[in-house]
DNA sequence: ATAAGCACGC
DNA sequence: GACGTACGTGCTTATA
């Protein structure tokens, strides 16, 4: 026999007083999930939280964090697997509610026991890793904010998406026919293998095509965009790829994920996936909604406020990662540019080319921007040359000039690598660690990869620390105000709010303040804000 | 099922 | 001579 909802509710009600006792600590593995389930049964947990999964992420971010792995690693014990109860993932998988009580009780008791034992083991690990403050003041309080955002969800214009889908299908059919005509033969344009064979074996548009590591012809966007002049079919293939991508990943998929009860889309924000400390978003991923191309922007337009009394507000950090680089390195030239409120890429171009800012051309700014981004990622001359499609020598010159002007940034990069070599890890402004076991490897490729991580992880991770602090403070202040407006999305350097129109003027300065003051930097922090009847307009 | 290749975001 | 930009999610094709 299986328990029904009323029986489940009755059981939960028995435990309710415990969940409402704010002096008690609720220990769990992935507590955000439990928070959501209990909320579905009307229970708002008031306990302090202690999450074993999140704890493990802080002292071992690059490992897996599921409970079976943790139990085996730290308790030397293999628990009853969930698959033994409900079957393998797939269509035949049962719900936990279908499992008889006398079977589930052993699993449940063991689950609770293991979680408690893991917590006891992890307290010291958190202390040893120096992440106690980050854990208690950032990651644990963030759980509640994330749960709230997931629960709110975001409204989407399903009809608009469906109309766009029909239009995309027409365009795809047309481009498909044009490509087959240009090729003079039929093939599947969605197959990179077939595209490569058509371009390089059949049409032979160039002499020496690049190959992937498996020996197949490489036909990625970066390769094909450089071959657009070789044959008219190339641009059509890129066009086809864009259309099919937008249709299959977004336009046709998002409507299927609209919740029947709430009529909104509810993503899951993952707190323990990105090793640098960033969040990730899945089912659906709302952190990669298109914005770059005109057709992509049509999709962003479909994200709308919950009703006509609301408006979307987007608040995003301006150049946060470069500001963090400037702040950590203390580089006088880069700090000065930010202190004077300059456009950082124009200022960089002026420095690198040794000219006045008024003399900087679009192309110079574009190149300087590319160097600035390359710095954040630890890119070398080869990568910059490839990216900008310029000669290696010119790329090297750009980078040499860059470090001549921003000398302290070079020092910062060397310092991070040396720190990693000595300690085996690097850390963010809030002490979040990333272990780099390959930093002393004899294999140059492997070692270089670790060195790039040594440079990038503190930058990307500090930006993640910063927006997380802002999210907690914003969530708490809005909650205390008892208002209708809600924080609903985070996209790494951007927060999106579904704002009750009468509250807009009230909450704007609150959001701006908490974002600016999340972490003190040695340069100003700027936040751009916009509102609109859809996400595109708000951006 | 899993890997490869590709494309979307920051 | 090879390698060469950080972090993600998710689609389709191709192969096991």
């Amino acid at each position: 026999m299986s328990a029904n909802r009323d029986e489940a509710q009755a059981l939960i009600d028995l435990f309710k007083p415990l969940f409402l006792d704010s002096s008690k600590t609720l220990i769990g593995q992935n507590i955000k999930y439990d928070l959501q389930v209990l909320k579905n049964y009307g229970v708002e947990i008031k306990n302090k939280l202690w999450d074993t999964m999140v704890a493990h992420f802080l002292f071992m971010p690059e490992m897996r964090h599921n409970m079976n792995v943790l139990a085996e690693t730290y308790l030397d014990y293999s628990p009853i697997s969930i698959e033994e109860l409900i079957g393998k993932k797939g269509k035949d998988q049962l719900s936990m509610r279908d499992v008889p009580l006398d079977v589930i009780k052993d699993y449940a008791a063991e689950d609770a026991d293991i979680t408690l034992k893991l917590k006891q083991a992890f307290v010291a690990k958190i202390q040893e890793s120096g992440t106690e403050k980050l854990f208690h003041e950032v990651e644990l309080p963030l759980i509640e904010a994330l749960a709230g955002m997931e629960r709110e969800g975001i409204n989407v214009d399903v009809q608009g998406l469906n109309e766009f889908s029909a239009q995309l299908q027409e365009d795809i059919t047309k481009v498909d026919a044009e490509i087959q005509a240009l090729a003079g033969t039929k093939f599947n344009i969605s197959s990179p293998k077939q595209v490569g064979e058509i371009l390089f074996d059949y049409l032979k548009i160039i002499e020496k095509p690049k190959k992937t590591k498996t020996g197949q012809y490489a036909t990625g966007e970066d390769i094909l965009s450089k071959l657009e002049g070789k044959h008219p079919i190339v641009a059509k293939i890129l066009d086809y790829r864009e259309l099919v991508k937008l249709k299959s990943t977004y336009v046709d998929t998002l409507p299927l994920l609209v919740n029947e009860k709430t009529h909104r889309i509810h993503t899951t924000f993952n707190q323990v996936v990105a090793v640098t400390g960033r969040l990730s978003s899945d089912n659906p991923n709302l952190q990669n909604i298109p914005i770059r191309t005109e057709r992509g922007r049509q999709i962003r337009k479909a994200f709308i406020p919950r009703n006509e009394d609301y408006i979307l507000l987007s608040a995003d950090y301006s150049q946060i990662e470069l500001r963090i680089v400037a702040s950590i390195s203390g580089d006088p030239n880069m700090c000065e540019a930010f202190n004077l409120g300059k456009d950082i890429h124009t200022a960089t171009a002026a420095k690198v080319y040794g000219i006045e800012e008024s003399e900087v051309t679009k192309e110079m700014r574009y190149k300087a921007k590319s160097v600035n981004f390359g710095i954040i990622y630890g890119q070398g001359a080869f990568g910059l040359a490839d990216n900008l499609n310029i000669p290696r020598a010119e790329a090297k010159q750009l980078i040499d000039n860059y470090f001549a002007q921003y000398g302290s940034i070079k020092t910062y990069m060397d310092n991070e690598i040396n720190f990693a070599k000595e300690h085996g890890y690097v850390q963010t402004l809030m002490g979040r660690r990333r272990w780099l076991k390959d930093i002393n490897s004899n294999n140059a490729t492997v070692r270089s990869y670790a060195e790039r991580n040594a440079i990038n992880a503190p930058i990307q991770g500090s930006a993640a620390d910063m927006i997380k602090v802002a999210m907690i403070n914003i969530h708490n202040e809005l909650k205390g105000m008892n208002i209708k407006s809600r924080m609903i999305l985070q996209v790494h350097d951007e927060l999106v709010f579904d704002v009750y129109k009468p509250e807009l003027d009230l909450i704007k300065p609150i959001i701006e303040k908490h974002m600016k003051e999340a972490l003190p930097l040695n340069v100003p922090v700027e936040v751009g804000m916009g509102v609109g009847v859809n996400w595109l307009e708000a951006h």
Side-chain angles (χ1 to χ4, degrees), chain A residues 141-161:
Chain A
L142 184 67
I143 293 172
E144 204 196 302
L146 295 177
M149 293 163 72
E150 292 175 358
R151 179 163 287 273
E152 286 301 324
I154 185 162
N155 196 14
V156 290
D157 175 7
V158 172
Q159 196 192 328
L161 287 174

Side-chain angles (χ1 to χ4, degrees), chain A residues 303-305 310-314 497 530-539:
Chain A
F303 288 81
I304 56 179
Y310 284 70
I311 191 163
L312 289 187
L313 166 68
S314 163
F497 298 82
V531 293
V533 296
N534 60 59
W535 192 4
L536 180 66
E537 205 179 291
H539 209 275

Side-chain angles (χ1 to χ4, degrees), chain A residues 166-202:
Chain A
Q167 191 190 319
L168 285 173
Q169 186 52 58
E170 276 183 34
D171 295 346
I172 289 166
T173 306
K174 185 162 154 264
V175 176
D176 192 323
E178 288 170 352
I179 291 169
Q180 312 287 354
L182 282 166
T185 180
K186 287 222 176 284
F187 68 104
N188 185 349
I189 310 163
S190 293
S191 163
K193 186 163 177 272
Q194 294 182 36
V195 166
E197 286 162 3
I198 290 289
L199 291 179
F200 306 122
D201 285 339
Y202 188 70

Side-chain angles (χ1 to χ4, degrees), chain A residues 16 42 45 138 163-164 198 216 277-279 305 349 358 433 435:
Chain A
K16 201 166 176 178
I45 293 181
V138 181
E163 285 164 12
F164 191 36
I198 290 289
Q216 188 178 308
R278 271 189 177 183
L279 298 176
S358 57
R433 287 189 188 180
W435 299 92

Side-chain angles (χ1 to χ4, degrees), chain A residues 440-488:
Chain A
N440 292 308
S441 168
N442 292 321
N443 181 324
T445 304
V446 172
R447 189 179 61 248
S448 301
Y449 184 71
E451 288 174 355
R452 289 195 296 279
N453 285 327
I455 294 165
N456 173 263
I459 303 169
Q460 189 179 118
S462 296
D465 293 348
M466 196 165 171
I467 197 165
K468 282 177 171 178
V469 169
M471 290 168 73
I472 293 160
N473 292 334
I474 291 167
H475 177 261
N476 287 340
E477 182 153 0
L478 295 191
K479 196 174 159 191
M481 291 166 75
N482 238 327
I483 57 177
K484 293 182 172 179
S485 303
R486 295 285 186 268
M487 177 163 66
I488 56 174

